[in-house]
Amino acid sequence: MRAERGEPSAGTETVNGPVRDLGATLMHEHVFGLSPEILWNWPDIPEGWDLERRAREAADRLTELKRHGIDSIVDLTVIGLGRYVPAVRRVAELTEVNIVVATGLYTYDALPPYFGNRGPGSLFGGPDRLAEFFVRDITDGIGDTGVRAGILKCASDHLGMTAGCERVFRAVAEAHRATGVPISTHSHSASGGGLEQQRLLAGAGVDLTRVIIGHAGDSTDVAYLEELIAGGSYLGMDRFGIETISSFEDRVAVVAELAGRGHAGRMVLSHDSYCFNDRFDHDVVRRRHPNYHLLHISRDVLPELRRRGVTEEQIRQMLVGNPRDIFARREPY
């Protein structure tokens, strides 16, 4: 039974309510990536958007994922990526897979004008409402859906920690400390961006053991990855299937190497895939990234990790134990 508005719940918040045991969990996926203004104004675009049709397609994919041993996904779609929770809620009604949704804001630079024109340093000044909005999503629910966010998301990329990114990170830190929900980031591994994220979050009072540095698996620099681990954070080895950034061979080799060094307790696995995303040409994506789908880890990655000596206990730690521990700590501080 869902807690009253503003009250903490027992278990991890999912679209269908609190769940005590998420089971095997992919920690960085997306159900839908939408372009609202495009869909509002050119509804006849070839990709098309029919909520019921797309929801059933997504549910079918998740049901197949369940048959491959995955019980839950974390949907890190936030503002800036086309979050539309009513559609995700319909998917959750059609599948047994648990879906945890996120709050936060995705930008590499400027904030959306609603926030960019308000708050410190903006054209009109005034209070920064980002943290207020994030906390509301966590404690009261997103919009009028009643669905509570269970994780916070923020991003920086090749541009580094721009002023807009810093505002989001500081607001995420504030919302995290007020609610206790974990933080997951999008980072740019090629420039060592995860370390910059750790410095900012730590400076804002965040316990880095409650942070996942996303897209760490894009890197083959084991020294960099061990530095992130030494800082306390989990590593998001979460772009399996996107082989133009890092190959299948490199991605599994790095996970196996880190597991061999005793770091299975600091890694989570995922694809960063979408059930439906109108921002890319589907045929081009399929040609360039044939393994970019929800079943790649179950079908291809786990067998290869086993072949390289990663134990069943370590695999279970990455898929079950670490997600459980990440969501178990919900105390504000």
Side-chain angles (χ1 to χ4, degrees):
M1 185 174 182
R2 184 173 290 280
E4 294 299 318
R5 288 166 65 91
E7 292 181 358
S9 62
T12 302
E13 287 288 352
T14 74
V15 174
N16 286 333
V19 171
R20 291 189 180 276
D21 182 7
L22 290 176
T25 304
L26 300 180
M27 287 292 294
H28 191 137
E29 304 293 350
H30 302 272
V31 179
F32 298 125
L34 304 176
S35 306
E37 289 188 287
I38 303 300
L39 297 175
W40 292 341
N41 291 286
W42 295 291
D44 59 341
I45 58 173
E47 293 79 7
W49 172 254
D50 176 271
L51 190 154
E52 186 64 20
R53 172 192 168 195
R54 298 302 184 187
R56 290 187 177 277
E57 291 173 350
D60 287 346
R61 293 189 181 190
L62 292 175
T63 298
E64 181 67 11
L65 180 65
K66 178 81 170 180
R67 287 196 284 267
H68 281 74
I70 300 299
D71 304 298
S72 303
I73 67 165
V74 177
D75 180 353
L76 289 178
T77 312
V78 293
I79 301 303
L81 289 172
R83 183 181 71 175
Y84 186 50
V85 172
V88 180
R89 182 174 58 186
R90 179 60 181 139
V91 175
E93 293 171 352
L94 298 169
T95 181
E96 294 180 5
V97 173
N98 302 306
I99 305 172
V100 178
V101 297
T103 187
L105 193 148
Y106 186 93
T107 182
Y108 298 163
D109 190 3
L111 296 174
Y114 182 92
F115 296 108
N117 291 330
R118 294 171 167 86
S122 69
L123 181 62
F124 296 104
D128 190 339
R129 300 192 65 192
L130 281 168
E132 172 195 336
F133 280 35
F134 300 160
V135 170
R136 182 191 303 173
D137 284 355
I138 295 164
T139 59
D140 295 343
I142 297 167
D144 60 1
T145 66
V147 174
R148 290 174 171 173
I151 193 166
L152 285 148
K153 167 78 173 291
C154 46
S156 62
D157 202 79
H158 62 289
L159 298 174
M161 193 60 68
T162 63
C165 290
E166 182 172 348
R167 267 188 67 186
V168 175
F169 271 75
R170 292 192 181 282
V172 161
E174 182 179 342
H176 161 73
R177 295 190 64 191
T179 64
V181 304
I183 297 171
S184 187
T185 78
H186 165 112
S187 72
H188 187 248
S189 284
S191 61
L195 295 172
E196 185 177 36
Q197 293 180 349
Q198 284 186 322
R199 286 191 293 270
L200 193 153
L201 290 171
V206 171
D207 175 355
L208 294 180
T209 66
R210 299 166 78 165
V211 175
I212 306 160
I213 301 297
H215 310 327
D218 290 350
S219 178
T220 58
D221 185 346
V222 174
Y224 162 67
L225 298 175
E226 287 199 310
E227 191 172 355
L228 293 175
I229 291 170
S233 301
Y234 290 87
L235 304 183
M237 317 306 277
D238 52 27
R239 275 182 165 172
F240 280 102
I242 305 181
E243 296 174 16
T244 52
I245 298 174
S246 184
S247 68
F248 174 82
E249 167 69 24
D250 284 345
R251 288 186 188 278
V252 294
V254 169
V255 172
E257 173 68 20
L258 289 172
R261 295 186 182 201
H263 299 311
R266 306 310 296 175
M267 291 186 285
V268 292
L269 306 178
S270 218
H271 306 92
D272 192 18
S273 69
Y274 289 80
C275 294
F276 175 80
N277 185 354
D278 68 15
R279 291 168 300 160
F280 299 102
D281 184 290
H282 301 167
D283 293 334
V284 172
V285 171
R286 276 193 292 268
R287 286 198 306 272
R288 292 184 180 178
H289 305 287
N291 293 321
Y292 182 49
H293 56 77
L294 281 170
L295 302 181
H296 180 45
I297 286 174
S298 297
R299 287 179 174 174
D300 308 312
V301 174
L302 298 184
E304 182 61 18
L305 289 175
R306 293 182 181 107
R307 193 184 72 79
R308 292 168 181 260
V310 178
T311 68
E312 293 301 323
E313 181 181 0
Q314 289 173 322
I315 288 172
R316 183 170 177 80
Q317 184 70 48
M318 292 185 284
L319 284 175
V320 179
N322 294 340
R324 179 193 60 221
D325 293 344
I326 287 166
F327 285 111
R329 299 178 64 188
R330 277 292 304 270
E331 67 280 2
Y333 60 101

